[in-house]
Amino acid sequence: MSSDQTQMNITSVLIKSLIGELPDTQFFLFSTRSKPKGNVTKLQPLFAYNKALTASSEYFRDLLSEETPNDLNFVEFKDHHRQGGISLDEYGYASDSDLDEEEEKEETNEAIQDNEKSELRATISAEQMPRTLSIKDSNTQEMQRGTIPSRRVLVTDAAFKTWQVLLYYLYTDEIIFAPLRSQASPTTENSKLHEPPLCSPKSMYRLACKIKHDELQTKALAAIRSSLTAHNVLQELSSSLTSRFPAILEIAVEILFQHIATPTITKDFPILIQRIVGAGSTDFPHGVEILTKLHGKMLKQQRDRRYYR
């Protein structure tokens, strides 16, 4: 995105907010994973101005120009969607790092009542948002004709955090990634209002591939590469996401090969081999491909050594 386009996006959003013009689209996304229940839950809304999105992404130009989204993971939001969430299988990425973990404890009656009140307030807010008149509407008929009713869309295959960072990036051309969970770094807290939001580079790469945003794919992939070390590459090779995206697999095998003789890899690599040998094709579908790629790199290294002798 050019710097001129970025500035136009920011200026447009700022002016619309100053004059009280409502966002065009509300996206609702799940934010929490419940392992005991096997589902994702706790919807949170994101409010977007279509013009800024369509100016930055062909995917959004197509999506927001259609009355019925041509994507099975986008459905018109109804209030009953707030109840129960959806299964992890339906969500499609059970290990998504951008989902918060639901606390595994029994709720007291008081906590349940607080949750019900919070949900009621969120429902009332969402219902009122499309119907609230902007300041423009109260002035003239000419302004009133320019107001677009807000549309509500449920997104079922990505986390709230990932989409928040996506929208922020499309507005500003700025993105900052959180560390991988496998890096064993201190827990990254949610960014403050004066800081850009954070998300997992793996979650963003998955989303960027879906929306076919090449630049965002490149940025996320670079962040994944820089996050892989001898201490976490074996864990990342076991990830379900690695099995689904050849570019991530290629990078992980490359990092593994670079550190193959380090003490950490020497100690833990046999465990990975045992997992591959003991797992079926569905449990570790990319296991054979890991070994094949690693063997190919070893052969190339041997040929290069012979050539330069």
Side-chain angles (χ1 to χ4, degrees), residues 35-240:
K35 289 182 178 178
K37 298 176 183 176
N39 67 358
V40 291
T41 185
K42 294 188 179 178
L43 286 170
Q44 292 191 42
L46 287 168
F47 303 90
Y49 293 99
N50 290 358
K51 186 175 181 180
L53 300 186
T54 56
S56 308
S57 167
E58 184 176 347
Y59 174 82
F60 280 105
R61 279 196 292 276
D62 295 338
L63 179 72
L64 297 175
S65 66
E66 301 165 344
E67 290 187 8
T68 302
N70 188 25
D71 187 328
L72 296 178
N73 295 299
F74 285 76
V75 296
E76 293 301 324
F77 179 81
K78 305 295 182 184
D79 289 332
H80 69 78
H81 286 138
R82 296 183 183 278
Q83 308 300 322
I86 60 174
S87 70
L88 286 169
D89 289 339
E90 185 179 354
Y91 180 74
Y93 184 20
S95 59
D96 193 343
S97 300
D98 282 345
L99 290 170
D100 295 328
E101 298 295 343
E102 184 176 73
E103 294 183 12
E104 299 179 22
K105 62 181 182 180
E106 293 185 2
E107 294 184 302
T108 63
N109 289 335
E110 183 178 350
I112 292 173
Q113 290 175 2
D114 288 341
N115 287 340
E116 290 175 347
K117 290 177 182 178
S118 297
E119 290 183 3
L120 179 60
R121 284 194 296 268
T123 300
I124 293 173
S125 175
E127 289 177 344
Q128 289 179 340
M129 191 67 180
R131 299 172 176 82
T132 303
L133 295 178
S134 72
I135 293 173
K136 288 180 66 178
D137 294 324
S138 64
N139 292 332
T140 66
Q141 290 297 321
E142 181 180 354
M143 290 181 177
Q144 191 173 34
R145 286 197 296 271
T147 302
I148 302 174
S150 183
R151 178 183 185 183
R152 302 194 297 171
V153 179
L154 174 65
V155 183
T156 63
D157 66 340
F160 169 83
K161 286 182 182 178
T162 318
W163 261 69
Q164 182 184 30
V165 173
L166 172 65
L167 299 188
Y168 184 88
Y169 172 76
L170 294 177
Y171 284 168
T172 66
D173 203 32
E174 179 182 1
I175 190 166
I176 301 176
F177 293 108
L180 298 179
R181 286 189 176 179
S182 60
Q183 288 181 274
S185 56
T187 302
T188 304
E189 296 183 359
N190 292 334
S191 53
K192 300 178 177 62
L193 284 178
H194 64 277
E195 299 174 342
L198 305 177
C199 77
S200 163
K202 292 166 59 179
S203 300
M204 182 55 75
Y205 182 78
R206 171 178 174 262
L207 180 54
C209 287
K210 173 183 175 175
I211 69 174
K212 298 179 181 178
H213 198 297
D214 294 340
E215 184 178 349
L216 195 50
Q217 288 180 44
T218 300
K219 290 178 182 291
L221 203 59
I224 293 171
R225 178 190 290 273
S226 65
S227 300
L228 294 178
T229 68
H231 298 285
N232 70 342
V233 67
L234 293 178
Q235 181 177 340
E236 291 299 334
L237 276 167
S238 302
S239 166
S240 62

